[in-house]
């Protein structure tokens, strides 16, 4: 079918999803495409990115007929002068009536976050609906860098906020005053100045995402009245909920019982199974959960059966003894399972039961970190994993940075008929039989300390359907080089990253 025969409405949707550079190239094809590529709907979805280092000359924007709704201001140079500030100000003034989303990125390593500058720019966009603040350098908040006499104004149209720690920990920043009608909050904080603001706006929030690195600060959360709460993501809910006898659990029960519309709940728990049982009785709609430091692994799984909608589960630092007889477990909707640092009395017993109580599992991540265990134990666990019969499994992640991956077991991956993505993080790869072929896998990610070009060549032969090969550069670059692999660009997309980036996904809600 000729694309020119598509209705103009469909072409506008296509152009709307193109980056501005590609849209510009498409506009050179013909007059109709030039008109549609820069039509009003397309222009409204385009984000204007302006860096402070290049803000001195904004004359092309002054004559522009576009109406930008999304603007990104990247502060990437220290000590920008009057001309740069005037350039940024003129852009904000020009689009002040159309901007609904502002992304303010602080990318200056030398200086602390400039709260006064952010508030000054917000005065120019009174109709702003969404504010996203990013601190690329992850500056730590320092009370000594306070700017005196910072005045906070209210913006009643602000409905969405994304605020990093450098702002939430600032005593002069008042999120409740800034956005009195906010409905969606995504906050990172150490918790020093968080709860007063949330108490003022808690009853109207629909979606709340809190992330903190400080233990024991969630105890005041349970006093918020979450009548309108529909989504809740909590990170590091740790030391303030330890035993059912704790009086704070009464507030927790009341909190969850008020979340009538709560459909997506993510918790990170370092608490006893008895507390998890209490939460299961109160909020059975939970869909994603992370727990760690659990001694009674089978007891935990038995409790989790009460969460009928549980789709994503991560267990870190836990112990599984032999499965008690007479207990039939079933997690029918579980799609993703992460096991990090989990010890088994009998690995084959656990993974044999896994295929029974999680038959629809699509993603499995298993990581071993315990250096005290001998190599035989690690190999036994790996064999137990590879003998799983999970017909729906599409993604498998295996991590063990203390040992070599036994390459002769590559053939076991053929037991997973729908496996498309494989990720390995090991110290090295042992020798293997070249006749092994795994036709189904399309993407492989490798984080191997001792990786050679010879091994990569064999991997390309072993996985004929490979579309993407993603590798981390080994410690010894003499054993590895892209120049030694001239055929990789013809067979698949080949990406090499510098060491220090972990291929394993962080468990995020």
């Amino acid at each position: 079918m000729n694309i020119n025969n598509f209705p103009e409405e469909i072409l506008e949707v296509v152009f709307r999803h193109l980056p501005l550079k590609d849209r510009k190239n498409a506009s050179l094809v013909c007059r109709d495409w030039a008109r549609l590529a820069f039509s009003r709907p397309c222009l409204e979805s385009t984000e204007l990115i302006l860096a402070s280092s290049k803000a001195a000359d904004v004359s092309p924007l002054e004559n522009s007929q576009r109406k930008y709704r999304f603007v990104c201001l990247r502060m990437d140079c220290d000590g920008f002068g009057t001309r740069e500030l005037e350039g940024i100000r003129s852009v904000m003034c020009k689009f002040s009536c159309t901007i609904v989303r502002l992304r303010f990125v602080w990318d200056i390593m030398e200086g602390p976050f400039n709260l006064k500058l952010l508030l000054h720019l917000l005065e120019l966009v009174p109709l702003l609906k969404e504010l996203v603040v990013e601190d690329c350098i992850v500056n730590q908040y320092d009370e000594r860098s306070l700017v005196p006499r910072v005045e906070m104004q209210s913006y009643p149209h602000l409905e969405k906020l994304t605020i990093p720690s450098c702002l939430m920990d600032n005593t002069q920043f008042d999120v409740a005053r800034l956005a009195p009608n906010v409905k969606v909050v995504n906050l990172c904080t150490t918790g020093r100045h968080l709860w007063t603001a949330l108490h003022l706006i808690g009853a109207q929030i629909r979606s709340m995402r809190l992330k903190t690195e400080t233990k024991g600060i969630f105890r005041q959360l349970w006093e918020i009245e979450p009548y309108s709460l529909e989504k809740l993501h909590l990170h590091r809910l740790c030391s303030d909920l330890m035993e059912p006898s704790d009086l704070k659990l009464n507030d927790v029960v009341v909190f969850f019982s008020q979340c009538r519309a709560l459909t997506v709940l993510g918790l990170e728990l370092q608490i006893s199974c008895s507390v998890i049982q209490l939460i299961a009785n109160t909020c059975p709609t939970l869909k994603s959960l992370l727990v760690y430091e659990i001694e009674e692994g089978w007891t935990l799984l038995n409790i989790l059966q009460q969460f009928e909608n549980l789709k994503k589960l991560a267990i870190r630092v836990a112990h599984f003894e032999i499965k008690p007889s007479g207990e039939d477990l079933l997690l029918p909707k579980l799609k993703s399972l992460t096991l990090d640092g989990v010890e088994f009395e009998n690995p084959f017993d656990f993974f044999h039961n896994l295929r029974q109580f999680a038959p629809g599992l699509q993603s499995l991540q298993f990581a071993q970190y315990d250096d005290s265990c001998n190599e035989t134990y690690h190999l036994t666990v790996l064999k137990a994993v590879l003998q799983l019969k999970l017909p729906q499994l599409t993604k498998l992640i295996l991590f063990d940075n203390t040992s070599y991956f036994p390459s002769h077991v590559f053939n076991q991956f053929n037991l997973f008929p729908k496996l498309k993505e494989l990720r390995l993080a090991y110290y090295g790869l042992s020798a293997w039989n070249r006749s092994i072929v795994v036709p189904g896998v399309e993407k492989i990610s490798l984080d191997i300390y001792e990786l050679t070009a010879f091994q990569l060549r064999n991997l390309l032969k072993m996985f004929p359907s490979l579309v993407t090969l993603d590798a981390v550069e080994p410690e010894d670059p003499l054993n590895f080089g892209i120049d030694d692999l001239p055929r990789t660009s013809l067979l698949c997309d080949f990406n090499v990253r510098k060491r220090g980036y972990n291929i394993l996904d962080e468990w995020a809600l």
Side-chain angles (χ1 to χ4, degrees):
M1 180 180 290
N2 192 338
I3 192 174
N4 288 320
N5 295 332
F6 286 3
E8 291 188 356
E9 293 79 8
I10 296 181
L11 288 176
E12 283 187 356
V13 174
V14 173
F15 290 133
R16 189 181 306 174
H17 288 81
L18 289 178
L20 186 58
K21 182 178 179 180
D22 295 338
R23 193 180 302 173
K24 215 191 248 186
N25 294 334
S27 68
L28 301 176
V29 173
C30 61
R31 291 184 178 179
D32 290 337
W33 281 29
R35 175 174 54 84
L36 295 174
F38 293 101
S39 63
R40 179 64 182 270
C42 292
L43 293 178
E44 288 181 349
S45 64
T46 302
E47 183 179 58
L48 171 63
I49 301 178
L50 181 63
S52 60
S53 58
K54 301 178 180 179
D57 184 15
V58 292
S59 53
L61 288 173
E62 294 178 355
N63 300 323
S64 175
Q65 299 299 318
R66 302 175 187 174
K67 303 295 184 181
Y68 287 104
R69 300 175 68 236
F70 310 141
V71 174
C72 172
L73 300 179
R74 178 175 292 275
M75 303 299 143
D76 59 351
C77 64
D78 191 15
F80 40 88
T82 306
R83 290 186 60 192
E84 288 78 11
L85 286 176
E86 287 299 324
I88 295 176
R89 183 180 175 84
S90 64
V91 172
M92 300 291 285
C93 290
K94 178 176 177 59
F95 306 112
S96 61
C97 296
T98 58
I99 296 178
V100 296
R101 181 179 187 269
L102 175 64
R103 191 157 60 98
F104 187 85
V105 182
W106 190 259
D107 199 5
I108 302 175
M109 183 177 297
E110 292 78 10
F113 189 93
N114 193 332
L115 173 60
K116 194 172 183 178
L117 175 62
L118 173 62
L119 297 178
H120 175 68
L121 296 177
L122 289 180
E123 295 176 358
L124 306 176
V125 282
L127 302 179
L128 193 66
K129 292 185 177 181
E130 180 178 0
L131 173 63
V132 178
V133 180
E134 301 177 16
D135 188 8
C136 295
I137 311 300
V138 192
N139 286 319
Q140 296 295 325
Y141 167 70
D142 186 1
E143 292 185 357
R144 295 173 298 180
S145 62
L146 283 178
V147 178
R149 299 178 183 177
V150 173
E151 296 183 1
M152 298 287 298
Q153 295 187 11
S154 295
Y155 297 90
H157 297 282
L158 265 177
E159 297 181 352
K160 296 182 180 180
L161 281 179
T162 299
I163 305 297
S165 298
C166 64
L167 275 184
M168 286 305 301
D169 295 340
N170 192 326
T171 55
Q172 296 181 313
F173 183 74
D174 187 346
V175 63
R177 180 173 178 80
L178 178 74
N181 299 319
V182 66
K183 294 179 176 60
V184 178
V185 291
N186 184 2
L187 309 177
C188 297
T189 176
T190 60
R192 289 187 290 177
H193 312 291
L194 170 65
W195 301 111
T196 302
L198 290 183
H199 277 286
L200 295 175
I201 59 179
Q204 69 189 31
I205 294 180
R206 296 179 182 175
S207 176
M208 183 188 305
R209 182 187 182 102
L210 304 179
K211 183 176 182 180
T212 177
E213 295 301 324
T214 302
K215 294 185 178 182
I217 71 160
F218 283 94
R219 61 188 62 180
Q220 299 182 48
L221 172 65
W222 316 123
E223 300 175 10
I224 297 176
E225 298 178 352
Y227 298 122
S228 60
L229 196 60
E230 298 175 357
K231 295 184 179 181
L232 173 64
H233 295 169
L234 300 180
H235 295 254
R236 195 172 279 277
L237 175 58
C238 299
S239 59
D240 67 337
L241 295 178
M242 297 308 295
E243 298 296 336
S245 59
D246 197 325
L247 294 178
K248 290 186 291 295
L249 283 175
N250 295 330
D251 296 329
V252 177
V253 174
V254 174
F255 178 85
F256 284 128
S257 64
Q258 291 174 344
C259 297
R260 299 299 184 185
L262 193 60
T263 57
V264 178
L265 172 63
L267 297 176
E268 177 179 339
L269 301 175
Q270 184 187 1
I271 54 183
S272 62
C273 286
S274 54
V275 177
I276 299 177
Q277 176 68 68
L278 185 147
I279 296 177
N281 296 336
T282 310
C283 188
T285 58
L286 183 143
K287 291 186 178 180
S288 53
L289 174 68
L290 184 151
V291 293
Y292 56 96
E293 296 190 10
I294 297 294
E295 290 295 331
E296 305 168 352
W298 290 111
T299 302
L300 170 68
L301 294 179
N302 190 36
I303 295 173
L304 296 183
Q305 293 183 102
Q306 299 182 45
F307 300 114
E308 298 178 354
N309 297 319
L310 188 65
K311 294 183 178 180
K312 188 173 184 180
L313 172 64
I315 303 175
R316 289 179 176 167
V317 191
H319 181 76
F320 284 85
E321 298 180 349
I322 303 298
K323 181 180 179 294
S325 59
E327 292 187 8
D328 294 329
L329 300 176
L330 183 61
L331 297 172
K333 294 188 178 181
L334 190 64
K335 303 297 182 184
S336 176
L337 176 63
T338 298
L339 301 171
D340 286 356
V342 177
E343 296 181 2
F344 306 101
E345 291 289 337
N346 187 338
F348 289 96
D349 175 67
F350 175 84
F351 287 103
H352 174 75
N353 284 278
L354 175 62
R355 68 191 185 198
Q356 295 180 0
F357 69 78
L361 202 63
Q362 297 178 359
S363 175
L364 174 62
Q365 173 176 320
F366 182 76
Q368 301 185 91
Y369 303 98
D370 194 354
D371 297 340
S372 62
C373 297
N374 55 41
E375 188 174 348
T376 303
Y377 171 79
H378 286 196
L379 184 59
T380 302
V381 175
L382 178 61
K383 288 182 178 179
V385 174
L386 295 179
Q387 289 184 15
L388 273 172
K389 294 182 179 179
L390 295 172
Q392 303 299 323
L393 194 69
T394 60
K395 182 178 180 180
L396 179 61
I397 301 176
L398 300 174
F399 181 95
D400 184 358
N401 57 4
T402 64
S403 60
Y404 284 78
F405 182 81
S407 303
H408 64 276
V409 302
F410 269 116
N411 198 38
Q412 297 292 112
F413 295 126
N414 287 312
L415 298 178
F416 305 109
K418 293 188 177 182
L419 187 64
K420 299 297 182 183
E421 183 175 352
L422 176 64
R423 299 187 178 189
L424 300 177
Y426 279 77
Y427 188 80
L429 300 177
S430 62
W432 65 79
N433 188 340
R434 297 183 182 179
S435 62
I436 296 177
V437 177
V438 185
V441 177
E442 298 178 354
K443 180 178 179 180
I444 295 181
S445 297
L446 300 174
D447 189 350
I448 309 296
Y449 282 87
E450 296 182 357
L451 185 65
T452 65
F454 174 76
Q455 292 173 330
L456 281 175
R457 290 196 200 98
N458 285 339
L459 285 173
L460 290 171
K461 298 176 182 178
M462 185 185 306
F463 297 94
S465 303
L466 205 60
V467 176
T468 303
L469 177 59
D470 192 21
V472 176
E473 188 179 45
E475 289 187 335
D476 187 2
L478 297 178
N479 293 331
F480 180 84
I482 301 179
D483 297 336
D484 299 329
L485 301 167
R487 298 179 59 210
T488 51
S489 59
L490 301 177
L491 299 176
C492 65
D493 293 331
F494 182 41
N495 306 313
V496 180
R497 294 193 302 267
K498 294 294 183 182
R499 180 150 300 281
Y501 179 85
N502 195 340
I503 66 171
L504 295 179
D505 294 334
E506 287 189 10
W507 194 86
L509 294 165

